[in-house]
Amino acid sequence: MLKARDFVEARLYNSEEDVIQDGLRHLLRARPELRIQLAIHRYQTENLSLAKAASLAGVSGAQLKDILLEHGIQPRLGPETLDEAEKEVQSLRDYFQTQP
């Protein structure tokens, strides 16, 4: 069984973390469906934006929106009403007024 430490000891990588990151990059290239599943998971659990999730999945925002809908997930696309938009704007104004 190979270990990340073996690659470091052979001076092929600087750290075990580098080995793992490179391995994960290769895994996601070889299995693009995993990129999409990971993006969906992070979108749901980490409140990742649609744009960031799409970038992680390697697809456009419109494509990810369709993928989410296919999985029964309603995309978060910003305020749905004028009142919600005005509240967001006011929250931003309040926030920036308190910044030094």
Side-chain angles (χ1 to χ4, degrees):
M1 166 74 88
L2 292 174
K3 297 178 184 167
R5 188 91 207 127
D6 296 335
F7 291 88
V8 176
E9 289 173 1
R11 297 177 188 221
L12 300 171
Y13 289 88
N14 292 325
S15 69
E16 291 180 37
E17 180 66 23
D18 290 344
V19 175
I20 293 166
Q21 288 301 313
D22 194 37
L24 290 172
R25 275 191 297 277
H26 285 283
L27 175 64
L28 293 176
R29 273 192 216 117
R31 302 212 24 222
E33 74 279 3
L34 293 179
R35 288 179 68 132
I36 292 171
Q37 292 301 320
L38 180 61
I40 290 170
H41 171 74
R42 291 188 62 193
Y43 180 79
Q44 289 183 291
T45 61
E46 297 176 22
N47 207 21
L48 206 62
S49 71
L50 186 66
K52 287 183 182 181
S55 177
L56 176 61
V59 299
S60 72
Q63 288 172 310
L64 184 61
K65 186 169 66 168
D66 290 341
I67 291 168
L68 290 171
L69 291 169
E70 289 170 5
H71 284 84
I73 301 165
Q74 185 62 44
R76 298 181 302 273
L77 300 174
E80 294 183 3
T81 66
L82 181 58
D83 185 51
E84 288 177 3
E86 288 172 346
K87 286 179 183 177
E88 282 189 21
V89 169
Q90 188 58 49
S91 293
L92 287 169
R93 283 185 182 137
D94 294 345
Y95 172 78
F96 285 112
Q97 287 176 352
T98 62
Q99 297 304 304

